């Protein structure tokens, strides 16, 4: 009985988050921004740490392969360790942005807490260079990342798995919105 109640409470948490009043409008704006960047021959870049990097990788693969929108996640271990060693861990993403991202591109940053210094530094470099930016965060409503993007998706939860699952659902919803359906062949 305890497990059933725990699961129901956990799923109820997701349901509360999905009742966010503007989420359909915000997801549509994100989809439109991505398609506009793609029409103008720009690329989509997505970054995160830990589980958020895994979400970023999944999104990049699905966008490129299934939605035909060039999307890159530059989180390979050689890149991270090289740039972290030379510039500090807090700068590896901002240095990647300096090396690879152009004005007509779009950057998506994911941080469950909204306070990861490497993500904040990346957001700041995007704003300095006037690069389109979408953010995904959670935890505190006034986290450092939440107001740095053109669009800012925030999950009202302090639970990592809830925040990360919602981020993944929202990002993969954008993929399916671009494709125009949620069921399609793997190849």
């Amino acid at each position: 009985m305890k497990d059933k109640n725990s699961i129901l409470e956990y799923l109820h948490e997701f349901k509360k988050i999905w009742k966010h009043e503007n989420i359909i409008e915000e997801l549509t704006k994100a989809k439109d921004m991505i398609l506009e960047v793609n029409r103008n021959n720009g690329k989509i870049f997505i970054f995160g740490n830990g589980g958020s990097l895994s979400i970023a990788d999944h999104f990049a693969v699905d966008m490129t392969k299934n939605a035909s929108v060039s999307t890159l996640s530059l989180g390979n271990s050689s890149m991270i360790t090289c740039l972290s060693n030379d510039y500090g861990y807090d700068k590896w993403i901002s240095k990647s942005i300096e090396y690879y991202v152009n004005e007509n591109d779009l950057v998506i940053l994911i941080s469950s807490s909204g306070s990861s210094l490497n993500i904040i530094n990346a957001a700041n470099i995007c704003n300095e260079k006037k690069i389109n930016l979408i953010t995904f965060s959670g935890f505190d409503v006034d986290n450092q990342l939440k107001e740095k993007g053109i669009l800012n998706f925030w999950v009202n939860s302090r639970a990592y798995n809830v925040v990360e699952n919602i981020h993944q659902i929202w990002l993969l919803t954008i993929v399916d919105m671009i494709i125009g359906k949620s069921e399609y062949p793997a190849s």
Side-chain angles (χ1 to χ4, degrees), residues 1 12 22 25 36 42 44 57 59 61 80 93 99 106 109 123 126 129 144 147 152 159 173 175 187:
M1 188 66 163
H12 181 70
N22 297 322
E25 179 181 311
E36 180 68 21
I44 312 306
D57 287 344
F59 177 79
V61 168
I80 293 170
I93 298 173
Y99 291 139
L106 169 80
L109 298 174
C126 286
K129 294 181 170 267
Q144 296 176 58
E147 301 300 323
N152 300 285
T173 296
V175 172
S187 58

Side-chain angles (χ1 to χ4, degrees), residues 19-139:
K19 287 189 175 189
H20 176 339
E21 61 205 47
N22 297 322
I23 193 61
I24 293 170
E25 179 181 311
E26 291 172 2
L27 290 170
T28 301
K29 285 180 183 177
K31 175 203 73 160
D32 292 344
M33 278 181 68
I34 289 167
L35 290 175
E36 180 68 21
V37 166
N38 190 55
R39 271 192 295 278
N40 292 323
N41 297 314
K43 288 186 175 54
I44 312 306
F45 291 85
I46 186 165
F47 298 92
N49 295 308
S52 296
L53 178 56
S54 296
I55 293 166
D57 287 344
H58 186 163
F59 177 79
V61 168
D62 282 6
M63 286 290 288
T64 302
K65 178 183 169 278
N66 298 326
S68 300
V69 175
S70 182
T71 305
L72 299 165
S73 173
L74 300 177
N76 71 64
S77 59
S78 296
M79 175 73 74
I80 293 170
T81 57
C82 171
L83 297 178
S84 294
N85 184 63
D86 292 350
Y87 302 104
Y89 185 77
D90 62 319
K91 297 268 192 316
W92 83 263
I93 298 173
S94 55
K95 292 309 272 184
S96 295
I97 290 169
E98 286 179 24
Y99 291 139
Y100 292 102
V101 179
N102 298 309
E103 286 179 358
N104 62 331
D105 295 332
L106 169 80
V107 171
I108 300 170
L109 298 174
I110 310 169
S111 171
S112 293
S113 68
S115 62
S116 301
L117 188 54
N118 61 350
I119 298 287
I120 300 305
N121 288 337
N124 290 337
I125 199 79
C126 286
N127 287 328
E128 287 171 25
K129 294 181 170 267
K130 303 208 180 332
I131 295 168
N132 293 313
L133 175 63
I134 297 174
T135 71
F136 287 80
S137 66
F139 291 24

